[in-house]
């Protein structure tokens, strides 16, 4: 296989997908190369989903710039792509005078970064507005423009929109070698395929340093830094209305408690440097740490409500800032690396910046057919009974509930598959089937039936998330 | 809106028995069963092992055989039923919204019987650290894949939890050619029946590791192994007892949770300890005209008890639909679980229906040589000696007319346990 592109992006996380989508605004032949079988299989599926206001990063850094820019345009992008986004505001809570001083510093830094609406609120305000927080809290920094989103749904939406506008995404393509052939980069996958491209963008997340090295580009190092989380069942009443942070330390923004856009409660993450870049295991110590620290802020937190645990890995660069630049020596090779937090918030702004840079370099014309709009799958759980009735008339499978906890219909699953889902997890991220309190206990076999039918494959070939993650090992008899 | 005298939600053994009993007791025989699955019978359809019906039918049946006997009667009686139909809403006014491929259905019921069964606790719910590869199943999933769909789910397995379901699955996997390396149980005792430990583990040489905990799952794409460790009496891991076991499958059988999302929508009061509705001896919930039975009420180990309980619920549901005035202004005596007792069902005695009933309960720990007493106004009414009591086994005590006649109705009924 050989394909020739103007631009190839390595890595289908939220950053890679944002760049890919923005590139389709131009008349360029673009593709993304991804080692897994779906988008958002790295940090972009396992993070806090917070759209940060921008008071954390040191002024003058790329982090500060793209965070604030990203925050400013986030709502518009989510609107175009039909992705949930709620500007619920955030609080950084302080327990003592020292911490109150930190709030003051954050406030000043935020102002210098251009963050609007920051205010330090006193105890009474905090308890009046967040009655479930600890009575030991003395003050809080309020950032009204902080928000929450669904990180993997955003990545998926960017992907779908990029495809709609003519981009290719090649899955199961693990980049292992990069060569130069005249004006082209030749990018090889582990299984012998290759792609040629005039310009190459490295968005390989935690592996970006290896890719950079393969291209003969700048040597920097990415240290994997893991964060562990709990997800709690959808409560009848949300215990917190805003994102609740603790005062940041040198280890990061600390443990937060927040509603998710889907109505669950998210608690985490801690921060620990780990040896392996792909070690997404949770550990007893890590989980205990998260729980104890979160309990300090919200004493009523209960392990009884936990429905699942997971971890995500931050791509922490040794440069202490996002690396977003063309290599001085290797023309047309652009590193977008070390995109740790606030990378999700920044992704849409980084995408625009890189697309402009690339279009200038390649002298690209505007794609007049570019359509910025993408529509989400119609969800049973979100419609009124009247709308449900209409949908069932059109599509009877909308009346067949497959996931009982999240009320996901067969129609939604078929639609997810039509849009590119091939695995159990990819169906799950697109529809929420299996994300509820029973975690697929009921619907896993049913989702497999539908995948097998729609993709015309035997169930023994269905995987959880590609490669060797098969669910069933052998067919014993025919029914 | 369609109207029914009694609507039963769920068609497991609880739903079927409740529907049949309502039907028998109604003049206007408008009874409807709603089931989201393709077939009637509930979880029994995938329980192909024997061990059902010993008490009720005095013979040993498989799950599908047991269900079939009731399904036949439902069909003979021409009781209406809808399958592949999911109830999504119930209101306190007893309006039901159900959905299927034909559309949305709104149904008004004079009374409703909740029989939605339960769901399984998961790996996440018990907060098991490690990676999240493929090859992790709940017992129910495994049962469905193996017994109904005919697939093998792996080659070497670890089972977590030694209740009856875990034990039965250990045997089932072995019979399917999957090597079960061990059954890991955190408690110092199994909550499964003695009979099952012998027939499902001992007979196949499968080790039962009591006071052991699964502390970590390994593997990137498919499970590659687990780490287990011994625990002390506080269930805390003992350092340096960690052991790696290679396997490609982990099966969790760590408890069931009554499925009460709909009950919450109807505003029904739930009991924190059972996870199901608070009911009186008519199986009436806190919402008038809504009854509950089977695993949605509390988790049962024997289907025979489910059937008996459901029959009572069905009978009273029929009564409510014809004579709702009997259920107006009822006064209750509380039935309270004290020392050693985890919960009791029913939680209340309805003074309008002071009729013999069966009190079911579970103890909160493993007990040897103990006495269960039922007392009222400081007076012991019943005293039963037991050589062994375990939380895994549901206990039943008949409250006879004779005992009821001795009750002081201004005081609670107290169930408690004493060591001897
Ligand atoms: C615990 C945690 C919490 C966070 N919280 C927030 C937050 O609240 N708000 C916020 O703004 N940001 C947050 N972030 C940061 C945010 O998640 C990341 O910045 C963002 O997801 C990075 O996206 P990415 O596309 O660069 O990387 P990724 O999503 O990791 O994508 C990289 C992709 O490259 C692929 N890849 C790697 N190597 C190869 C190869 N050799 N060949 C082909 N493909 C390859 C990977 O499979 C992967 O799909 C958090 C991050 C973590 C880990
Ligand atoms: C592996 C296993 C082994 C067992 N072994 C034995 C044994 O050897 N002997 C024994 O006596 N007992 C055994 N049992 C226990 C026995 O099977 C249960 O106690 C009994 O089946 C519970 O009956 P139920 O009707 O309450 O629930 P279920 O059988 O679970 O039925 C509930 C029904 O409600 C339906 N439903 C739920 N929600 C909705 C909704 N919203 N709309 C429509 N329909 C809905 C479900 O689809 C289901 O069909 C075993 C159970 C298991 C899981």
């Amino acid at each position: 296989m050989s394909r020739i592109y103007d631009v190839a992006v390595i890595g289908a996380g939220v950053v890679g997908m944002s760049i890919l989508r923005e590139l389709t605004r131009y008349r360029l032949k673009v593709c993304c190369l991804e080692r897994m079988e779906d988008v958002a299989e790295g940090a972009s599926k396992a993070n806090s989903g917070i759209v940060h206001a921008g008071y954390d990063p040191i002024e003058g850094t790329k982090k500060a710039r793209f965070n604030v820019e990203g925050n400013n345009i986030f709502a518009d992008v989510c609107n175009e792509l039909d992705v949930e986004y709620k500007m619920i505001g955030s609080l950084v809570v302080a327990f003592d005078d020292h911490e109150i001083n930190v709030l003051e510093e954050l406030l000043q830094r935020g102002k210098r970064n251009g963050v609007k609406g920051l205010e330090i609120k006193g105890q009474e305000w905090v308890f009046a507005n967040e009655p479930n927080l600890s009575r030991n809290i003395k003050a809080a920094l309020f950032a009204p423009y902080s928000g929450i989103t669904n990180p993997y749904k955003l990545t998926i939406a960017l992907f779908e929109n990029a495809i709609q506008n003519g981009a290719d995404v090649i899955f199961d393509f693990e980049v292992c070698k990069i060569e130069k052939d005249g004006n082209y980069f030749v990018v090889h996958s582990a299984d012998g395929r290759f792609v040629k491209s005039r310009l190459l963008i490295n968005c390989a997340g935690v592996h970006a340093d290896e890719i950079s090295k393969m291209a003969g580009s700048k040597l920097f190092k990415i240290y994997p830094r893991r964060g562990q989380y709990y997800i709690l069942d959808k409560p009848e009443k949300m215990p917190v209305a805003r994102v609740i942070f603790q005062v940041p330390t040198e280890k990061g923004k600390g443990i937060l408690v927040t509603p998710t856009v889907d109505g669950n409660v998210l608690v985490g993450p801690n921060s620990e440097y780990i040896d392996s870049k792909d070690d997404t295991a949770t550990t007893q110590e890590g989980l205990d740490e998260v729980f104890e620290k979160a309990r300090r802020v919200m004493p009523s937190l209960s392990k009884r409500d936990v429905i699942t645990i997971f971890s995500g890995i931050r791509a922490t660069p040794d440069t202490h800032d996002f690396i977003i630049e063309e290599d001085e020596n290797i023309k047309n090779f652009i590193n977008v690396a070390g995109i740790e937090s606030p990378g999700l918030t920044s992704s849409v702004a980084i995408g625009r910046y890189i697309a402009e840079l690339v279009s200038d370099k390649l002298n690209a014309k505007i794609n007049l057919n570019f359509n910025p709009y993408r529509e989400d799958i119609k969800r049973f759980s979100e419609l009124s009974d009247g709308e449900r009735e209409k949908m069932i008339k059109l599509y009877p499978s909308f009346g067949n509930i497959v996931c009982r906890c999240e009320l996901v219909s067969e129609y939604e699953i078929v639609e997810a598959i039509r849009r590119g889902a091939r695995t159990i997890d990819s169906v799950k991220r697109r529809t929420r089937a299996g994300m509820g309190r029973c975690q697929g206990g009921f619907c896993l076999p049913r989702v497999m039936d539908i995948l097998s039918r729609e993709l015309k494959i035997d169930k023994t070939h269905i995987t959880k998330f590609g490669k060797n993650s098969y669910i069933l090992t052998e067919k014993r008899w025919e029914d | 809106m369609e109207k029914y005298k009694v609507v039963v939600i769920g068609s497991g053994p609880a739903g079927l028995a409740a529907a049949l009993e309502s039907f028998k007791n109604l003049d206007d025989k408008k009874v409807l069963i709603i089931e989201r699955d393709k077939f009637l019978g509930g979880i029994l359809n995938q329980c192909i092992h024997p061990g059902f019906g010993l008490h009720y039918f005095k013979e040993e049946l498989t799950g599908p055989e047991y269900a079939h006997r009731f399904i036949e009667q439902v069909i003979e009686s021409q009781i209406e039923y809808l399958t592949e139909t999911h109830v999504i809403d119930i209101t306190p006014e007893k309006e039901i919204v159900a959905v299927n491929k034909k559309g949305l259905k709104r149904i008004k019921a004079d009374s409703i019987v909740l029989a939605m069964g339960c769901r399984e606790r998961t790996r996440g719910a018990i907060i098991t650290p490690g990676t999240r590869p493929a090859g992790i199943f709940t017992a129910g999933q495994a049962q469905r894949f193996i017994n109904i769909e005919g697939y093998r789910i792996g080659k070497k397995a670890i089972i977590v939890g030694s209740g009856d379901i875990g034990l039965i699955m250990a045997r089932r996997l072995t019979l399917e050619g999957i090597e079960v390396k061990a059954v890991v149980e955190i408690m110092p005792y199994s909550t499964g029946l003695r009979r099952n430990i012998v027939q499902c583990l001992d007979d196949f040489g499968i080790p039962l590791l009591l006071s052991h905990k699964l502390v970590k799952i390994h593997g990137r794409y498919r499970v590659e192994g687990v780490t287990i460790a011994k625990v002390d009496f506080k269930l805390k891991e003992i350092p340096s007892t960690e052991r790696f076991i290679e396997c490609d499958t982990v099966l969790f059988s760590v408890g069931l949770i009554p499925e009460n999302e709909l009950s919450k929508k109807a505003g029904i009061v739930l009991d924190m300890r059972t996870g199901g509705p608070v009911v009186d001896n008519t199986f009436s919930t806190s919402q008038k005209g809504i009854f509950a039975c089977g695993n949605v009420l509390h988790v049962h180990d024997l289907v025979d008890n489910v059937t008996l309980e459901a029959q009572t619920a069905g009978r009273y549901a029929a009564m409510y639909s014809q004579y709702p005035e009997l259920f107006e202004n009822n006064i209750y005596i509380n039935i309270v679980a004290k020392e050693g007792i985890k919960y009791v069902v029913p939680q209340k005695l309805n003074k309008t229906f002071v009729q013999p009933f069966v009190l079911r309960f579970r103890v909160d720990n493993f007990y040897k040589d103990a006495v269960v007493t039922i007392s009222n106004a400081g007076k012991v009414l019943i005293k039963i000696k037991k050589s062994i009591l375990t939380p895994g086994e549901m206990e039943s005590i008949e409250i006879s007319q004779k005992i009821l006649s001795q009750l002081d109705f201004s005081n609670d009924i107290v169930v408690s346990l004493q060591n001897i």
Side-chain angles (χ1 to χ4, degrees):
Chain A
M1 181 198 82
S2 150
R3 298 189 200 173
I4 299 179
Y5 291 94
D6 294 314
V7 188
V9 174
I10 301 173
V14 71
V15 174
M17 283 303 107
S18 183
I19 293 173
L20 194 72
R21 181 218 184 203
E22 291 299 326
L23 285 172
T24 59
R25 289 181 192 272
Y26 301 93
R27 282 169 58 183
L28 292 169
K29 202 162 157 36
V30 296
C31 76
C32 172
L33 309 171
E34 166 57 48
R35 65 172 174 165
M36 299 300 287
E37 271 184 38
D38 193 11
V39 303
E41 285 282 7
S44 301
K45 77 168 173 197
N47 58 59
S48 311
I50 310 299
V51 180
H52 290 289
Y55 51 79
D56 276 303
I58 311 283
E59 51 270 38
T61 57
K62 292 200 168 84
K63 274 189 190 172
R65 168 184 169 187
F66 289 110
N67 183 345
V68 175
E69 274 183 37
N71 183 294
N72 285 340
I73 59 175
F74 216 91
D76 293 340
V77 172
C78 287
N79 199 23
E80 287 172 352
L81 297 174
D82 204 1
V83 172
E84 300 93 332
Y85 170 55
K86 289 185 187 157
M87 202 186 280
I88 59 173
S90 68
L91 294 178
V92 183
V93 298
F95 287 88
D96 56 35
D97 290 347
H98 165 71
E99 292 192 341
I100 293 175
N101 287 338
V102 180
L103 297 187
E104 190 59 42
E105 281 169 36
L106 290 175
L107 175 79
Q108 295 310 332
R109 192 191 297 161
K111 281 186 177 166
R112 290 193 296 269
N113 285 346
V115 181
K116 285 171 289 185
L118 295 176
E119 249 181 285
I120 293 183
K121 301 280 193 187
Q123 208 174 32
E124 299 88 274
W125 189 95
V126 174
F127 299 149
N129 289 278
E130 294 288 355
N132 290 316
L133 295 190
S134 159
R135 299 283 129 174
N136 296 328
I137 291 168
K138 298 282 187 293
L141 174 67
F142 176 48
Y145 295 105
S146 296
I148 53 174
T149 188
N150 183 319
Y152 46 83
K153 286 237 193 99
L154 173 64
T155 313
I156 289 162
L158 289 162
F159 159 72
E160 287 180 6
N161 191 231
I163 298 284
Q164 246 173 283
N165 285 306
D168 287 345
V169 178
I170 304 172
F171 290 111
D172 237 334
F173 193 106
E174 176 152 11
V175 175
C176 66
K177 192 165 81 183
I178 299 169
E179 293 171 328
K180 209 60 208 281
D181 176 9
N183 285 332
Y184 285 92
F185 290 98
V186 187
V187 187
H188 297 265
S189 75
D191 58 7
R193 289 173 289 166
F194 66 91
V195 161
K196 285 183 161 188
S197 171
R198 289 163 66 193
L199 196 140
L200 196 56
I201 305 176
N202 172 15
C203 303
V206 83
H207 293 285
D209 51 353
E210 297 151 42
I211 298 288
S212 185
K213 201 170 157 194
M214 281 179 213
S217 171
K218 250 232 289 303
L219 291 185
F220 52 84
K221 227 174 143 35
I222 303 281
Y223 294 99
R225 192 161 54 91
R226 187 169 60 192
Q228 306 187 25
Y229 291 94
Y230 296 89
I231 294 189
L232 276 47
D233 197 0
K234 293 180 177 171
E236 256 145 82
K237 203 180 162 304
M238 259 304 153
V240 291
R242 297 167 187 75
V243 188
I244 312 298
F245 293 102
Q246 304 189 28
V247 161
T249 63
E250 64 281 7
K251 286 176 87 183
K253 288 187 273 293
I255 279 137
L256 58 83
V257 180
T258 181
T260 70
V261 280
D262 299 300
N264 296 85
V265 179
L266 180 76
V267 179
N270 64 340
S271 166
E272 45 182 345
Y273 284 98
I274 49 171
D275 299 330
S276 159
K277 289 181 171 179
D278 298 311
D279 183 8
T280 50
T282 46
T283 62
Q284 195 63 56
E285 306 77 58
L287 291 167
D288 288 347
E289 180 194 347
V290 168
F291 195 77
E292 268 161 44
K293 290 194 176 155
R295 270 286 266 275
R296 210 164 81 98
V297 179
M298 199 177 84
S300 59
L301 197 66
S302 162
K303 283 194 182 161
R304 276 178 77 123
D305 301 322
V306 173
I307 59 172
T308 192
I309 50 180
F310 68 90
S311 80
I313 302 178
R314 308 170 185 87
T316 303
D318 56 3
T319 60
H320 306 295
D321 194 9
F322 291 165
I323 301 165
I324 303 177
E325 62 198 11
E326 184 182 8
D327 191 273
E328 300 143 20
N329 303 317
I330 308 198
K331 210 174 145 255
N332 287 345
F333 181 78
I334 303 174
N335 273 316
V336 183
I339 312 297
E340 54 178 348
S341 192
L344 170 65
T345 315
S346 308
S347 60
V348 292
I350 295 175
R352 287 202 184 171
Y353 170 79
I354 295 286
E356 269 170 39
L357 187 87
V358 169
S359 64
D360 279 352
K361 287 184 68 68
L362 299 183
N363 242 328
K365 298 206 177 63
I366 298 282
N367 171 10
L368 295 173
N369 295 325
F370 177 77
N371 172 10
Y373 297 103
R374 168 262 182 193
E375 243 183 283
D376 193 14
I377 300 172
K378 274 236 177 351
R379 296 175 193 282
F380 186 93
S381 64
E382 283 168 10
L383 300 188
S384 68
D385 282 353
E387 294 168 316
R388 285 168 176 169
E389 221 141 16
K390 274 191 209 137
M391 275 297 285
I392 299 172
K393 286 252 151 58
L394 283 172
Y395 310 99
S397 62
F398 203 73
N400 181 22
I401 301 296
V402 175
C403 166
R404 61 187 182 189
C405 301
E406 298 290 318
L407 287 184
V408 180
S409 67
E410 179 183 343
Y411 165 89
E412 289 154 75
I413 292 165
V414 172
E415 184 61 21
I417 297 169
R418 207 183 61 71
R419 294 172 183 220
R422 292 286 172 278
T423 64
I424 296 296
D425 281 358
S426 59
V427 167
K428 178 171 96 172
R429 284 196 293 272
R430 282 165 180 78
T431 64
R432 288 189 67 75
M435 281 199 172
R437 58 188 69 85
C438 92
Q439 290 284 298
F442 176 76
C443 67
L444 171 72
R446 286 152 179 92
V447 170
M448 289 182 71
D449 286 343
I450 300 171
L451 271 167
S452 153
R453 182 188 75 205
E454 295 296 310
L455 299 175
K456 300 189 175 56
I457 54 172
D458 187 78
K459 282 189 222 171
T460 48
H461 294 303
I462 295 174
T463 62
K464 188 167 185 295
F465 55 92
K467 311 240 196 261
N468 269 333
S469 65
Y470 53 84
I471 312 257
L472 304 172
T473 53
E474 193 188 329
K475 177 93 188 154
R476 304 269 291 152
W477 36 262
E478 297 296 326
D479 19 34
Chain B
M1 201 173 332
E2 286 178 66
K3 284 196 174 144
Y4 284 88
K5 285 307 231 183
V6 177
V7 175
V8 177
I9 303 173
S11 75
L16 294 172
L20 278 164
E21 202 65 19
S22 293
F23 189 80
K24 281 185 202 148
N25 286 280
L26 282 170
D27 301 326
D28 171 9
K29 301 201 171 293
K30 290 281 289 175
V31 176
L32 173 69
I33 305 174
I34 307 179
E35 168 59 51
R36 64 175 171 212
D37 222 325
K38 259 196 193 129
F39 307 103
L40 301 178
I43 200 73
L44 292 182
N45 286 330
Q46 61 184 55
C47 298
I48 61 171
H49 59 277
F52 296 83
L54 272 171
H55 300 267
Y56 192 78
F57 291 113
K58 310 279 178 257
E59 58 181 309
E60 200 170 44
L61 306 171
T62 64
E65 284 170 341
Y66 186 94
H68 192 67
R69 298 206 171 176
F70 292 91
I71 295 170
E72 269 185 334
Q73 290 179 55
V74 165
I75 291 170
E76 267 167 31
S77 324
Q78 295 183 314
I79 294 178
E80 288 180 55
Y81 63 84
L82 288 167
T83 50
E84 295 190 86
T85 305
H86 200 108
V87 175
I88 56 173
D89 213 355
I90 318 176
T91 66
E93 293 73 39
K94 296 185 287 289
E95 281 176 27
I96 295 167
V97 184
V99 57
N100 61 25
K101 287 190 169 180
K102 294 197 192 110
L104 231 51
K105 242 185 188 346
R106 280 182 198 73
I107 300 159
K108 175 83 182 87
D110 287 338
S111 61
I112 294 177
V113 180
L114 304 176
M116 288 93 72
C118 55
R119 65 171 180 273
E120 297 174 277
R121 288 177 84 201
T122 63
R123 176 251 170 121
I126 62 165
I127 314 184
T128 312
T131 50
R132 309 208 303 162
I136 302 170
F137 300 89
T138 63
Q141 283 174 334
Q143 212 175 35
R144 186 184 161 107
F145 284 132
I146 295 170
N147 294 348
I148 298 198
E149 302 191 3
Y151 285 93
R152 194 179 266 167
I153 58 166
K155 296 191 174 73
K156 295 173 191 168
I158 284 286
I159 294 179
V160 186
S162 71
D164 287 317
I165 298 176
L167 299 175
I168 285 165
M169 288 312 290
R171 174 176 65 189
R172 189 75 196 104
L173 295 188
T174 310
L175 293 175
E176 285 298 311
I178 300 170
E179 183 193 348
V180 179
K181 294 234 172 149
V183 174
V184 179
E185 169 62 58
I186 192 167
M187 302 304 283
Y189 50 84
S190 159
T191 57
L193 297 170
R194 187 73 225 141
R195 171 184 98 195
N196 280 334
I197 296 180
V198 175
Q199 294 176 3
C200 300
L201 301 188
D202 298 354
D203 288 358
F204 296 91
I206 301 169
L208 171 60
L209 305 176
L210 298 174
S211 293
H212 272 72
K213 185 180 172 187
L214 176 65
V215 292
K216 191 158 187 172
I217 294 177
H218 307 263
R220 179 144 159 69
Y221 296 103
R222 175 83 193 191
V223 172
E224 288 163 20
V226 297
T227 301
I228 61 167
K230 279 194 185 150
V231 296
D232 61 20
F233 67 99
K234 283 182 180 158
L235 310 184
K236 269 253 170 243
E237 190 188 330
I238 303 172
S240 79
T241 59
E242 290 195 345
R243 176 147 67 96
F244 178 82
I245 301 181
E246 191 211 320
C247 61
D248 65 359
T249 304
V250 187
L251 205 118
F252 281 90
S253 170
V254 288
L256 302 168
I257 303 169
E259 182 83 9
N260 277 289
E261 298 355 286
L262 286 176
S263 321
K264 284 185 199 156
K265 287 193 176 174
I268 287 169
V269 175
L270 300 183
D271 179 334
M272 284 292 283
R273 290 161 301 182
T274 57
V278 171
V279 292
D280 65 17
N281 56 318
T282 68
F283 291 94
S284 176
T285 67
S286 63
Q287 290 293 3
K288 286 210 168 62
I290 305 185
F291 298 78
C293 57
N295 278 354
V296 80
L297 180 59
H298 60 138
V299 176
H300 296 68
D301 12 69
L302 288 181
V303 71
D304 312 69
N305 292 330
V306 169
T307 300
L308 294 170
E309 184 183 283
Q311 287 171 338
T312 311
R315 197 165 60 246
Y316 280 108
M319 190 187 290
Y320 182 94
S321 71
Q322 305 190 99
Y323 314 103
E325 63 282 359
L326 290 177
F327 292 78
E328 286 301 322
N329 309 319
N330 290 168
I331 297 168
Y332 305 96
I333 314 176
N334 288 325
I335 308 174
V336 213
K338 284 266 170 78
E339 304 91 77
I341 308 293
K342 193 151 103 199
Y343 72 72
V344 291
V345 171
Q347 293 89 338
K348 295 187 288 187
L349 171 61
N350 188 329
K351 274 173 119 174
T352 313
F353 301 99
V354 179
Q355 283 163 14
F357 66 99
V358 180
L359 197 64
R360 301 189 201 280
F361 61 92
R362 282 182 199 270
V363 294
D364 64 2
N365 211 327
F366 186 87
Y367 293 97
K368 257 188 135 151
D369 299 323
V371 182
V372 175
T373 59
I374 297 184
S375 53
N376 167 249
K379 201 167 103 198
V380 175
L381 302 177
I382 299 181
K383 207 169 168 175
I384 295 173
K385 269 196 200 158
K386 290 265 180 183
S387 53
I388 286 180
L389 286 156
T390 79
E393 233 165 299
M394 194 167 79
E395 302 289 333
S396 306
I397 293 180
E398 289 255 356
I399 309 293
S400 63
Q401 198 62 53
K402 190 166 153 240
I403 294 164
L404 288 168
S405 66
Q406 301 170 33
L407 277 180
D408 168 353
F409 282 84
S410 52
N411 274 290
D412 290 351
I413 299 171
V414 175
V415 187
S416 64
L417 178 149
Q418 292 81 30
N419 276 310
I420 39 176

